[in-house]
Amino acid sequence: MREKYPLLQIMDQEGKWLDESKREVLSEEKVKQFYYHMLRIRTYDQKGVALQRQGRIGTYVPFAGQEAAQVGSALALGNEDWMFPTYRDHGASLTFGADLDRMLLHWNGRIEGCLPSREKKIMPASIPIATHLPHATGVAMAEEYKGTRNAAIAYFGDGATSEGDFHEGINIASVFKAPVVFFNQNNGYAISLPVEKQMNSETIVQKSAAYGIPGIRVDGMDAFAVYFAVSEALERARTGKGPTLIEAVTMRFGAHTTADDPSKYRDQDEINRIRDEVDPLLRMEKHMKYRGIWKPAWRGSLEAGIQEELETAIKCMETYEQPDVSAMFDHVFAEPTWTIEKQKQHILSMGGSS
Amino acid sequence: MALSKVANKQEVQVRAQELTMIQAINDGLKTMLEKDAKVLLLGEDIGKNGGVFRATDGLQNKFGEKRVIDTPLSEAGFVGAAVGMALNGLKPVVEIQFLGFVYPAFEQIATHVTRMRTRTLGYYSMPMVIRAPYGAGVRSPEIHSDSVEALFVHLPGIKVVCPSTPYDAKGLLIASIADPDPVLFLEPMRLYRGKRQEVPAHDYRIELGKGEIILQGEDVTIFAWGAMMPIAMEAAELMKEERISCEVIDLRTLYPLDKAIIADSVQKTGRVVIIHEGHETGGVGSEIVSVIMETSFLYLRAPIEKVTGFDVPVPLFALEHAYLPTTERVTEAIQKVYSF
């Protein structure tokens, strides 16, 4: 199966071209854009873990290792496309245009953090595994019904491929040729379960054959390769050719969440040993050096800007107005039912939450 | 003035038809498909086949495959797809072939359909109707006869509606499709081809959350809905012979319950019998009791009686009549509360 679906790569681990035909598209400006977003979400991710450790936010879900997959895919999307992320795809959401302040609010237990971006159609992260794949299919069918060229992308992990909704979402999309991209990040683990115990298939991408749709297996540590794979799938979607399944082979460097201890189920020292070799940011840096477009001062200024942006967002999160108890009741229905109104008035008469 | 009134009445009569409930539902769907291009139907065998009960008969021919969609056999998948369509501004009406087949879609309903408005503070809503025939008494195979409305009444974020007549079926269905929030629309399959009734051809709506007094009475209030309404009416008729005057109320919407109609009637009669074919424990009847305790405790003249399905899986059809509330069980309950 690995021969049938060869791993798509644009650059090797040393950042050197494997497919130089893409050089023109990947201009200096474009490459810098990739690097900026990867550095931005890496910095954000490290900050997220730190904030949790300091007790300033709740449980946090780190994605370090998956920056190339998330940035490469998000940068391929058009402004009017729909994004359906999971709880580990906030890197992709931020890259596509999710608001940083709202993202932090989400990790701080605030419903305001689920609000879609002010600019883009980014859905709140789906917590129940694979349940959002049929949503992406339905949104895409509606775009087709309206006669637009817009598409949807659904993100999901290796564990999600064992869920019924994975099958149902892709099957329906394939039957109706819905303009949707199913973007899998195979990071090797579903919490503690290694992918070898998740499935008996050699690859995830081979499952595309069962639905009669194209599949692309791509090096998920190569942001360029991911970008081209997703771009190709989106083009197919926009031209009425239906869905594509993409497997981005990647790694989760850290824990499942800040509440998880990965040393219980894998050799974390081994991960840390190979980390630098496979790190998608370092690979991009090597690539830029190889092309002679790397400037340490440029990186320094990027980092300073990102830190400032983060500090502003953290301040915004920490000084955000206190949650209003009424809000819990006011959006269940367009008009509250009498039971909800009664419950709301009762708790408010007791002084709200305190 | 008088003449024009007569003319209007005649016109309405010409246009109104005598329909069964299944025809009235078909008519309601057709009315909304004609009225609003955002409305589309999804489900198993609803297109070419017109639905296993023919609720959607002829609609695919009239409105095309893009609006009346035959889906793969995939309840979670097409309820999930309907979530996506609703996110994208459409108004999907989904048919679950039998309520007992809703379970694969339960996760979609519990984690997304009912929560989208809350999760996005109203930025996105779920104007979706999930239609499902429910109930026992028609010799269906196993699992086809469930009546689990209570599971959905318990879930915050979805309304639950259940008509008992052709007229109400069309009016409630149109109101459900027009509602900005998700509605589970339960169709008593036992009444699908029962009594015909005059159903106007035009668009009319029955407000959700409102019950109706079907029979005025003084001594005992009977609450029922859907397929239990004929049983309630039959029992009330029989009680006339014993000079017990029953008030029969069709609740029509199970969430939110019509608190006023419940309280007003109980405060008049002081005696209550609740009928439903769903299981007793945690059933909607218990919730009605709770509303009565809250509003009318001091008016009660006897403990409330419930006549319900038992706390057992709905049996195969050889025993379904033993499971279902019967007129005999209802009259026994009426006599019990009356003579307390």
Side-chain angles (χ1 to χ4, degrees), chain B residues 136-197:
Chain B
V138 294
R139 297 170 67 82
S140 290
E142 211 180 350
I143 317 291
H144 290 61
S145 309
D146 281 14
S147 183
V148 286
E149 62 278 4
L151 297 180
F152 299 90
V153 166
H154 184 70
L155 279 183
I158 188 166
K159 296 173 184 172
V160 182
V161 172
C162 183
S164 73
T165 66
Y167 181 89
D168 282 1
K170 180 174 172 183
L172 287 168
L173 180 58
I174 291 178
S176 298
I177 296 171
D179 196 272
D181 289 301
V183 176
L184 176 68
F185 191 83
L186 295 170
E187 299 171 3
M189 66 178 105
R190 213 171 152 184
L191 305 183
Y192 263 162
R193 295 176 208 290
K195 240 174 32 195
R196 283 173 187 272
Q197 192 180 19

Side-chain angles (χ1 to χ4, degrees), chain B residues 223-243:
Chain B
F223 293 109
W225 58 87
M228 290 299 103
M229 280 307 297
I231 309 279
M233 291 301 286
E234 207 176 296
E237 280 302 315
L238 287 171
M239 288 297 95
K240 281 181 184 167
E241 292 164 20
E242 299 186 27
R243 294 174 188 274

Side-chain angles (χ1 to χ4, degrees), chain A residues 51-180:
Chain A
L51 287 170
Q52 189 279 331
R53 295 287 182 249
Q54 294 160 4
R56 293 159 77 185
I57 59 172
T59 300
Y60 177 80
V61 180
F63 53 76
Q66 299 181 213
E67 291 89 348
Q70 298 201 9
V71 167
S73 55
L75 289 181
L77 295 170
N79 282 338
E80 294 301 318
D81 290 337
W82 293 74
M83 178 184 270
F84 289 83
T86 74
Y87 49 75
R88 202 182 305 286
D89 301 312
H90 32 141
S93 302
L94 286 170
T95 304
F96 189 40
D99 305 304
L100 188 58
D101 51 347
R102 283 188 182 161
M103 195 63 81
L104 289 171
L105 281 171
H106 177 69
W107 296 113
N108 210 12
R110 296 293 297 270
I111 194 75
E112 293 85 345
C114 281
L115 279 170
S117 131
R118 295 172 179 101
E119 305 289 333
K120 301 274 179 57
K121 290 173 282 199
I122 303 173
M123 296 300 105
S126 186
I127 305 290
I129 304 298
T131 53
H132 55 305
L133 271 67
H135 305 172
T137 295
V139 150
M141 287 171 76
E143 290 295 343
E144 203 259 331
Y145 179 72
K146 293 175 179 177
T148 74
R149 274 173 57 87
N150 304 330
I153 185 168
Y155 288 73
F156 56 102
D158 36 293
T161 64
S162 299
E163 292 277 9
D165 280 358
F166 164 82
H167 165 71
E168 299 196 32
I170 300 183
N171 183 54
I172 292 181
S174 70
V175 168
F176 293 103
K177 288 205 173 346
V180 53

Side-chain angles (χ1 to χ4, degrees), chain A residues 225-242:
Chain A
V226 172
Y227 174 79
F228 287 112
V230 175
S231 299
E232 183 190 324
L234 284 168
E235 184 53 25
R236 191 175 292 128
R238 295 190 208 292
T239 50
K241 299 192 180 83

Side-chain angles (χ1 to χ4, degrees), chain A residues 42-52 57 60 307 310-311 314:
Chain A
R42 165 77 50 98
T43 312
Y44 154 85
D45 193 58
Q46 289 165 341
K47 191 61 110 182
V49 174
L51 287 170
Q52 189 279 331
I57 59 172
Y60 177 80
Q307 288 292 358
L310 271 168
E311 289 311 321
I314 292 167

Side-chain angles (χ1 to χ4, degrees), chain B residues 52-70:
Chain B
V52 293
F53 290 103
R54 308 288 177 259
T56 51
D57 201 24
L59 298 181
Q60 193 182 61
N61 256 346
K62 191 168 166 61
F63 297 97
E65 288 183 24
K66 295 274 178 207
R67 298 195 64 199
V68 181
I69 305 171
D70 271 322

